[in-house]
Amino acid sequence: MQNVSFVPSLLSNTNLTTQTTTTMATPAHTLSSLLETLLSPTPTTILISLLVVLLTPIVFHTLIFRTRASTTLPTFLLLGPSSAGKTTLMTSFASSPAETRVSQAPLSLECDIPANITASAKYRAEADPSRTGITRFLLQDTPGHGKLRPRATELVAADTTVGVVFVVDSSAQEWRDAGEYLYSVLLRIQKLQEARGAKMKAFPVLVACNKCDLFTALPAARIRRLLEEEMGTVREARSRGIVGVGEEDREDDEWLGEGGSGPFTFEALEEAGIQVEFAGASTLADGWRQPLGKWVGSCL
């Protein structure tokens, strides 16, 4: 009876060993078959390998490099009163013919200039291939309506903002509104520069005197003097208003430029880290492409 019981046990152990060996051999066989299929020099395998090798860099470049680059382009804000021609200037700089419309929300447009006119180009050799390329940036249009100006002015503090283009109508008959708006913009930049402290570099501002093609248009030098007069009046009025309500400690916060009395000048803002320039042109025949492109290049 012992022999009889021993035989089934032996057979059972043998079957178990066979099943275990079969089970272990199945994945190994499958893996071996898969590797053999992948490594076999068949036309299908070669075609799939070539597609993977060629398309992988393109996919990574599209999904990573271009997406990241598009979000870090330097931005120049277009600010100014309504009907000064901000949107028309932006669209004429990027494409022709110009489009005229009233904007109620910020609008960004990607533009480019030759790389050899940027400020960094002077540090490159003449044979440097990068000098023959282009430099991309964003022009961001903003609404000029009085109720929407505070939000537009706050965009100055954005990390990607590297300069401001303040657009005015050269044929305007009065300059108080433009002076008050420009005062608020420059005051916001001054506070931003003060917060940056020793790390600050000059913040560029271009006052773009638009519509110079009109018969009643004033030259940029005359507009500069008119805005200095208006902004001096605004500065005095705001300082008197603050002192009058017992908030003397805030006087320096609202005083544009260096402290003290005297007429307001744009040159005085250089000590506060603000570089203001004036240029005149019109949107006819792409008139802003050269002066605006040259100024943008000097800021990059």
Side-chain angles (χ1 to χ4, degrees):
M1 296 192 54
Q2 294 178 354
N3 295 335
V4 174
S5 61
F6 175 77
V7 173
S9 176
L10 180 60
L11 292 174
S12 177
N13 290 338
T14 303
N15 292 336
L16 180 60
T17 303
T18 304
Q19 291 176 2
T20 302
T21 304
T22 304
T23 303
M24 295 176 61
T26 300
H29 177 71
T30 303
L31 180 60
S32 177
S33 300
L34 180 60
L35 290 175
E36 184 179 355
T37 301
L38 292 176
L39 297 177
S40 297
T42 62
T44 303
T45 305
I46 295 175
L47 179 60
I48 293 175
S49 301
L50 287 175
L51 289 176
V52 171
V53 171
L54 294 176
L55 294 180
T56 299
I58 298 176
V59 171
F60 274 97
H61 178 81
T62 303
L63 295 181
I64 298 178
F65 179 77
R66 289 191 177 181
T67 301
R68 182 176 301 174
S70 64
T71 59
T72 57
L73 287 177
T75 301
F76 293 88
L77 286 181
L78 290 172
L79 301 174
S82 298
S83 303
K86 298 184 297 297
T87 307
T88 306
L89 185 152
M90 180 183 69
T91 55
S92 66
F93 185 82
S95 61
S96 185
E99 175 191 2
T100 300
R101 68 182 185 86
V102 178
S103 59
Q104 297 182 352
L107 172 67
S108 296
L109 194 63
E110 184 175 323
C111 308
D112 60 72
I113 56 174
N116 60 357
I117 69 171
T118 61
S120 60
K122 62 183 180 181
Y123 301 108
R124 304 171 187 169
E126 291 293 335
D128 192 335
S130 61
R131 292 175 59 93
T132 61
I134 59 174
T135 299
R136 299 186 182 278
F137 63 95
L138 291 179
L139 279 179
Q140 183 168 358
D141 185 21
T142 60
H145 192 277
K147 293 183 178 180
L148 302 176
R149 291 178 185 177
R151 171 56 183 158
T153 303
E154 287 302 316
L155 294 175
V156 170
D159 293 336
T160 56
T161 301
V162 297
V164 167
V165 180
F166 192 86
V167 186
V168 297
D169 183 355
S170 298
S171 63
Q173 298 300 312
E174 68 93 24
W175 295 90
R176 181 175 181 178
D177 181 54
E180 290 179 347
Y181 190 9
L182 182 56
Y183 188 96
S184 299
V185 171
L186 294 177
L187 184 63
R188 182 68 183 90
I189 297 174
Q190 178 176 283
K191 293 180 179 180
L192 178 64
Q193 293 292 80
E194 291 174 354
R196 290 173 175 172
K199 296 182 179 180
M200 73 172 184
K201 61 179 182 179
F203 193 102
V205 177
L206 175 67
V207 180
C209 305
N210 196 24
K211 306 181 182 180
C212 284
D213 57 299
L214 299 180
F215 180 76
T216 56
L218 299 176
R222 174 59 178 162
I223 294 174
R224 183 187 184 104
R225 291 193 295 270
L226 288 173
L227 286 176
E228 285 179 336
E229 294 174 2
E230 291 292 343
M231 294 174 67
T233 302
V234 172
R235 184 170 68 174
E236 291 293 338
R238 290 194 180 187
S239 64
R240 287 197 303 268
I242 293 172
V243 174
V245 295
E247 296 181 1
E248 292 85 350
D249 58 324
R250 292 184 54 194
E251 182 176 359
D252 291 338
D253 293 337
E254 298 296 331
W255 186 270
L256 181 62
E258 294 300 314
S261 59
F264 171 83
T265 62
F266 288 108
E267 286 83 357
L269 297 178
E270 294 181 5
E271 297 184 13
I274 306 175
Q275 182 69 41
V276 182
E277 299 180 35
F278 279 72
S282 71
T283 55
L284 296 179
D286 298 331
W288 275 110
R289 283 184 178 272
Q290 183 175 357
L292 183 57
K294 183 178 180 181
W295 179 80
V296 168
S298 68
C299 301
L300 298 177

